[in-house]
Amino acid sequence: MSDPHQHKRERRKQDRPGELLEAALDLFVEKGFAATRAEEVAVRAGVSKGTLFLYFPSKEELFKAVVMENVARPVAQGITEAENFTGSSGELLTWMMLEWWRRYGATKASGISKLMMSEAGNFPELAQFFRSNVIQPAQSLVRMVLQRGIDRGDFRAIDVDNTIYSVMAPLIFLVMEKHSTGACSGPQPSINPEQFITHHADLLVRGMAPGH
Amino acid sequence: MSDPHQHKRERRKQDRPGELLEAALDLFVEKGFAATRAEEVAVRAGVSKGTLFLYFPSKEELFKAVVMENVARPVAQGITEAENFTGSSGELLTWMMLEWWRRYGATKASGISKLMMSEAGNFPELAQFFRSNVIQPAQSLVRMVLQRGIDRGDFRAIDVDNTIYSVMAPLIFLVMEKHSTGACSGPQPSINPEQFITHHADLLVRGMAPGH
Amino acid sequence: MSDPHQHKRERRKQDRPGELLEAALDLFVEKGFAATRAEEVAVRAGVSKGTLFLYFPSKEELFKAVVMENVARPVAQGITEAENFTGSSGELLTWMMLEWWRRYGATKASGISKLMMSEAGNFPELAQFFRSNVIQPAQSLVRMVLQRGIDRGDFRAIDVDNTIYSVMAPLIFLVMEKHSTGACSGPQPSINPEQFITHHADLLVRGMAPGH
Amino acid sequence: MSDPHQHKRERRKQDRPGELLEAALDLFVEKGFAATRAEEVAVRAGVSKGTLFLYFPSKEELFKAVVMENVARPVAQGITEAENFTGSSGELLTWMMLEWWRRYGATKASGISKLMMSEAGNFPELAQFFRSNVIQPAQSLVRMVLQRGIDRGDFRAIDVDNTIYSVMAPLIFLVMEKHSTGACSGPQPSINPEQFITHHADLLVRGMAPGH
DNA sequence: CATGAATGAGTGTTCATTCAT
DNA sequence: CATGAATGAACACTCATTCAT
């Protein structure tokens, strides 16, 4: 790190875990845990099968590392942006849901969430970690926005705890859809995610409107 | 049927499919489709591996039978009941969502839905089967209820297609919650599903209310 | 047997072994020993799987019985006919080869010979039996015809022992062809057996012609 | 090759395919294609089951490789040698038939041909492969020789297509004899293959002689 | 005698993991 | 450190054989 004269080879060595994690992320998201072969990960990372097991003692540990590495990242950003928002709470809610989809749901990274839900049963520690570091912060963010709406008089005094799920459920649903049945391109009319989010947010905002 | 003196062999034969289906449901829900071994199903049903294949020609067909028995059946039932409902469409919608949860979502069988979302990518034929026999009928049912609301003047002329997902997403969400992260019993305050459904239905019905 | 009043049921019982052997012959010829399933034989014979094992203690014993039953039959006939033949020995040879093909080679029964050659390694006793009861009598017949030709001056004093094989080999070849690769209907130009036999016999007769 | 210090691992790796092919040839010939278990081949070659599939993607491909190595190769060789032959066509035919027997028919490898005739019906793809890579080239070779004889005036203008079978049938017959009924060593007077071939070739050449 | 439900050993193939080089 | 050859447990499915009825 502090020596600028280190060999290129050595620099590569330090990057190995990162390259492996990246390759593993791609493949786990694309094919699931069981269907991803260890050798495939190694090949995509440009190393041999043996090397993979040099850095990660087993496929399970590799999976855990992938989730740990990718799961915490995109949480905090949304919070500060929401705090600086200066419009109606309905607009904020709609904007937030759409942005979440654009920045996260629509990207490869959302595959991690799908992965977590799919494999939670087999990796309870991960599930716990995911809950603490992703789900609960996200819930806090939504709670903040709903409370802002109530405080500003944009919303009725709705049941905040349950409404949080009314906000999050469709987003989770879209992610699952995108990464599971939605993947099977068939002739069925697929959802248009942004349109659906807009529609759902509108329904919620109307449903939370004060004055009834 | 009317002969109490039927042979023990025959009595068992008639029971086999049911016993196998039950064992298969348990194991598929517990471990997923791919990770459930055919022999394990047989053993849990108290028979040998060969016997399983005497009644179901393949693991995939066994799974389909489990789906038909446990998932498609409740949907079909819901349809006839919805057709005979005589109240406001808001009441119907709420009742339907709650009933779906009580009869299906809250039961072991809902694990099949979770499983399908997790493994759909790796078993396209099963995914297609599930889509045809479960998802599409369910969507039709919801569409019917929403259209009824519009026709009766209970609802605005809302965008039916997207609203279908606003109705289904929270139910899917509850199922995922129950079978993945929610399965890790921690000290976290869990959702109360019936309360949430009631709340969400109320939000939707208000959001769809005519006259605005 | 001596009681004409026996029940139809009982008469059937006595026929069972024969019916099973017939069904087994068909299937063994059609699909080979390994690929023929015991149940299929039973079904074709109109009985249950269990019944088959009541009459034959194993699939191997069934096979042996099939061969024993069918193998000895069509040998003796040719001999008497050859003895009464009143033409040139070349005509006799050609006629005999063609008749053998028409009466035996072209029929289902020739499948037995193919079967024997294919499975001889697994059933040495059968192979020995086949050799004694089929091959050697047939060789004697051919020897007789060749000797007649030499005695009458129709043929040179050829090496009879080896010429026997020159006569039989193409017939065996046709049987193998018919029951193995020939079975795979492809676009390849197949042999016309009678034409080939006529041609081969002509070559042999010319090759054995005296006076060179 | 030129480096005597290559690793033991690598040296073994290069030898693996050959060792496996040899083991496979032995077992296929001894027990047939279907009855030979993949693991048995591996064990006889001194490796584990998994290793076999490292070198050959399936049992069928292993078999095809055995065919190419042991059966197709001699045929190809014969073609070039026949092209360079400078004697009468009768001598060429006799020489070719004898050489075929010495180099192939008399060896273990000829068991492959016997095996193919026995199992062709159950493995159509293998049969097709054998037909394309062995039978048709062999027929072409014989056709070439016969045509050469006609062109040079060594033979009459015989029916080439049928004569091909007159040439090949006794060779096939010898192979079947060697690997089936002939395998059961009994006191019976066996054929002397080379003597028979010489005799048969002589008969054919005489039968094809021009001028009658 | 006859049935057919039940059995379980057997087989080709995959893949996470190890370890000699 | 890195490699990749080798391993062997695992798994869905088949079918000859048994035996309770």
Side-chain angles (χ1 to χ4, degrees):
Chain A
M1 248 157 84
S2 53
D3 178 4
H5 299 299
Q6 52 185 315
H7 301 133
K8 194 189 262 177
R9 189 75 180 288
E10 283 177 26
R11 224 181 300 129
R12 286 299 296 280
K13 278 185 192 173
Q14 287 174 209
D15 294 343
R16 285 282 154 74
E19 289 164 358
L20 284 163
L21 285 170
E22 200 168 341
L25 171 61
D26 284 3
L27 287 164
F28 282 144
V29 165
E30 187 182 335
K31 318 170 70 157
F33 175 74
T36 295
R37 287 165 45 208
E39 183 161 26
E40 228 174 332
V41 174
V43 166
R44 184 176 294 212
V47 300
S48 75
K49 202 172 12 173
T51 304
L52 169 61
F53 287 93
L54 221 54
Y55 289 98
F56 301 94
S58 75
K59 197 181 158 189
E60 297 209 347
E61 291 303 321
L62 172 64
F63 179 79
K64 290 183 183 177
V66 165
V67 173
M68 288 302 197
E69 182 75 8
N70 290 281
V71 115
R73 253 188 277 182
V75 193
Q77 211 174 22
I79 296 179
T80 60
E81 292 180 351
E83 283 170 344
N84 297 329
F85 195 88
T86 61
S88 78
S89 297
E91 286 163 0
L92 171 53
L93 188 67
T94 304
W95 175 83
M96 201 176 62
M97 291 173 76
L98 276 171
E99 279 308 297
W100 181 90
W101 176 255
R102 286 174 187 144
R103 293 189 202 169
Y104 179 73
T107 74
K108 183 181 69 183
S110 67
I112 291 293
S113 297
K114 193 263 180 176
L115 222 45
M116 265 315 315
M117 308 204 92
S118 297
E119 307 284 345
N122 300 116
F123 301 94
E125 321 116 81
L126 279 190
Q128 188 54 48
F129 181 88
F130 188 72
R131 179 176 279 275
S132 305
N133 291 277
V134 179
I135 298 182
Q136 293 195 348
Q139 289 183 351
S140 297
L141 174 55
V142 176
R143 167 174 282 110
M144 198 183 75
V145 171
L146 293 177
Q147 196 59 54
R148 177 186 187 271
I150 296 169
D151 294 345
R152 284 179 38 137
D154 294 331
F155 301 150
R156 286 183 290 125
I158 35 101
D159 172 348
V160 172
D161 283 338
N162 279 314
T163 310
I164 288 172
Y165 299 120
S166 291
V167 171
M168 296 180 69
L171 301 177
I172 301 296
F173 171 77
L174 282 174
V175 167
M176 295 303 301
E177 165 76 16
K178 174 172 147 73
H179 291 283
S180 59
T181 42
C184 318
S185 62
Q188 68 278 356
S190 259
I191 312 176
N192 176 329
E194 300 203 10
Q195 195 181 91
F196 167 53
I197 290 173
T198 307
H199 174 81
H200 185 82
D202 178 61
L203 272 186
L204 291 185
V205 171
R206 283 172 186 261
M208 294 188 293
H212 285 289
Chain B
M1 253 158 78
S2 53
D3 179 4
H5 299 299
Q6 52 186 317
H7 299 158
K8 200 183 281 175
R9 263 280 177 67
E10 280 180 26
R11 214 181 311 130
R12 302 195 75 189
K13 189 204 168 177
Q14 289 174 354
D15 296 342
R16 288 280 185 255
E19 293 164 3
L20 285 163
L21 249 19
E22 202 168 342
L25 174 61
D26 284 3
L27 286 164
F28 282 145
V29 167
E30 187 182 333
K31 318 173 69 158
F33 177 75
T36 294
R37 291 182 307 151
E39 183 162 22
E40 223 174 335
V41 173
V43 167
R44 182 173 297 209
V47 299
S48 75
K49 190 171 28 171
T51 303
L52 169 61
F53 289 95
L54 220 54
Y55 291 95
F56 301 94
S58 73
K59 198 179 155 189
E60 291 218 347
E61 289 302 319
L62 173 63
F63 182 80
K64 288 182 184 176
V66 168
V67 169
M68 290 310 275
E69 184 74 18
N70 296 281
V71 190
R73 193 196 294 284
V75 174
Q77 210 174 29
I79 292 176
T80 62
E81 292 178 352
E83 283 170 343
N84 298 328
F85 194 85
T86 61
S88 78
S89 297
E91 285 164 1
L92 171 53
L93 188 68
T94 306
W95 173 84
M96 201 177 61
M97 292 173 75
L98 276 171
E99 278 308 297
W100 182 90
W101 176 257
R102 286 177 188 140
R103 294 189 202 169
Y104 177 71
T107 74
K108 193 170 54 184
S110 67
I112 293 293
S113 295
K114 187 264 178 179
L115 183 169
M116 271 312 319
M117 307 207 93
S118 299
E119 312 204 35
N122 299 114
F123 300 94
E125 199 201 318
L126 292 184
Q128 188 53 48
F129 178 85
F130 192 75
R131 184 175 278 276
S132 302
N133 290 279
V134 178
I135 298 182
Q136 292 193 347
Q139 290 184 351
S140 298
L141 174 54
V142 176
R143 166 173 283 112
M144 195 182 79
V145 171
L146 294 177
Q147 195 60 51
R148 176 186 189 269
I150 295 170
D151 293 344
R152 286 181 35 141
D154 295 330
F155 302 150
R156 285 183 289 125
I158 35 104
D159 172 348
V160 172
D161 284 337
N162 279 312
T163 310
I164 287 173
Y165 298 120
S166 291
V167 171
M168 295 180 71
L171 302 177
I172 302 296
F173 171 77
L174 281 173
V175 167
M176 295 302 301
E177 163 76 17
K178 176 173 147 73
H179 290 282
S180 58
T181 46
C184 321
S185 61
Q188 69 278 357
S190 256
I191 313 177
N192 177 328
E194 300 204 11
Q195 200 179 86
F196 167 55
I197 290 172
T198 307
H199 173 79
H200 185 81
D202 179 59
L203 271 185
L204 291 184
V205 171
R206 284 173 186 263
M208 293 188 292
H212 287 287
Chain C
M1 249 157 83
S2 53
D3 178 4
H5 300 299
Q6 52 187 318
H7 300 137
K8 196 189 265 177
R9 189 74 179 287
E10 282 177 28
R11 225 182 299 132
R12 287 300 294 280
K13 277 185 197 174
Q14 287 175 208
D15 295 342
R16 284 283 153 74
E19 288 165 359
L20 284 164
L21 285 170
E22 200 168 343
L25 171 61
D26 284 3
L27 287 164
F28 283 143
V29 165
E30 184 182 338
K31 317 170 69 156
F33 175 74
T36 295
R37 288 166 43 211
E39 182 162 25
E40 228 173 331
V41 174
V43 165
R44 185 176 292 211
V47 301
S48 75
K49 200 172 10 174
T51 303
L52 168 61
F53 287 92
L54 221 54
Y55 290 97
F56 301 93
S58 74
K59 197 180 156 188
E60 296 210 347
E61 290 303 320
L62 173 63
F63 180 80
K64 290 183 183 176
V66 165
V67 173
M68 289 302 198
E69 183 74 9
N70 290 280
V71 117
R73 254 188 277 180
V75 193
Q77 212 173 20
I79 295 176
T80 60
E81 292 180 353
E83 283 170 343
N84 298 329
F85 194 87
T86 60
S88 77
S89 297
E91 285 164 0
L92 171 54
L93 188 68
T94 306
W95 175 84
M96 201 177 61
M97 290 174 77
L98 276 171
E99 278 308 297
W100 182 91
W101 175 256
R102 287 175 187 141
R103 295 190 200 169
Y104 179 73
T107 73
K108 184 180 67 182
S110 67
I112 290 296
S113 296
K114 191 261 179 180
L115 223 44
M116 265 315 314
M117 307 205 93
S118 297
E119 307 283 345
N122 301 117
F123 301 93
E125 321 116 83
L126 281 189
Q128 188 52 50
F129 181 89
F130 187 72
R131 180 176 279 275
S132 307
N133 292 276
V134 179
I135 297 181
Q136 295 196 348
Q139 289 183 351
S140 299
L141 174 55
V142 176
R143 165 173 284 110
M144 196 181 78
V145 172
L146 293 176
Q147 195 59 54
R148 175 186 188 272
I150 295 169
D151 294 346
R152 285 180 38 138
D154 295 328
F155 301 151
R156 285 184 288 126
I158 35 110
D159 172 349
V160 172
D161 283 336
N162 278 314
T163 310
I164 289 171
Y165 299 120
S166 291
V167 171
M168 296 179 70
L171 302 177
I172 302 295
F173 171 77
L174 281 174
V175 167
M176 294 304 300
E177 164 77 16
K178 173 172 147 77
H179 292 283
S180 59
T181 43
C184 316
S185 60
Q188 69 278 355
S190 256
I191 312 176
N192 176 329
E194 301 203 9
Q195 197 179 92
F196 167 54
I197 289 172
T198 307
H199 174 80
H200 185 82
D202 178 61
L203 271 185
L204 290 184
V205 171
R206 284 173 186 262
M208 293 187 294
H212 285 288
Chain D
M1 249 160 85
S2 53
D3 179 6
H5 298 298
Q6 51 185 321
H7 298 158
K8 198 182 284 173
R9 261 282 178 64
E10 279 178 27
R11 214 181 314 131
R12 302 197 73 187
K13 190 202 168 180
Q14 289 174 352
D15 297 342
R16 288 282 184 255
E19 293 164 4
L20 285 163
L21 248 19
E22 201 169 343
L25 173 60
D26 283 3
L27 286 163
F28 283 144
V29 167
E30 187 182 333
K31 319 174 68 157
F33 177 75
T36 295
R37 291 182 306 148
E39 183 161 22
E40 224 174 334
V41 174
V43 167
R44 182 173 297 208
V47 299
S48 75
K49 190 168 29 167
T51 302
L52 169 62
F53 288 95
L54 219 55
Y55 292 94
F56 301 94
S58 73
K59 197 179 157 188
E60 291 217 348
E61 290 302 320
L62 172 64
F63 182 80
K64 288 182 184 176
V66 168
V67 169
M68 289 310 277
E69 184 72 18
N70 295 283
V71 191
R73 191 197 297 284
V75 174
Q77 211 175 30
I79 292 176
T80 61
E81 293 179 350
E83 284 170 343
N84 299 328
F85 194 86
T86 60
S88 78
S89 297
E91 285 163 2
L92 171 53
L93 188 68
T94 306
W95 174 84
M96 199 176 64
M97 291 173 76
L98 276 171
E99 279 307 297
W100 182 89
W101 176 258
R102 287 176 187 141
R103 296 189 201 170
Y104 178 73
T107 74
K108 192 170 54 183
S110 67
I112 293 292
S113 294
K114 187 262 178 180
L115 182 170
M116 272 311 319
M117 307 206 93
S118 300
E119 310 204 36
N122 299 117
F123 302 93
E125 200 201 317
L126 292 183
Q128 189 53 48
F129 178 86
F130 191 76
R131 184 174 277 276
S132 302
N133 290 278
V134 178
I135 297 182
Q136 292 192 349
Q139 289 184 353
S140 298
L141 174 55
V142 176
R143 167 174 282 109
M144 198 183 77
V145 171
L146 295 176
Q147 195 60 53
R148 177 187 188 270
I150 295 169
D151 293 344
R152 284 181 38 138
D154 295 330
F155 302 151
R156 285 183 288 126
I158 35 105
D159 172 348
V160 172
D161 284 336
N162 278 313
T163 310
I164 288 173
Y165 299 120
S166 290
V167 171
M168 296 179 70
L171 302 178
I172 301 295
F173 171 77
L174 281 173
V175 167
M176 295 303 302
E177 164 75 17
K178 174 171 149 73
H179 291 282
S180 57
T181 45
C184 319
S185 60
Q188 69 278 357
S190 256
I191 312 175
N192 177 329
E194 300 202 12
Q195 198 179 91
F196 167 54
I197 289 171
T198 306
H199 174 79
H200 185 81
D202 179 60
L203 272 186
L204 291 185
V205 171
R206 285 173 184 263
M208 293 188 293
H212 287 288

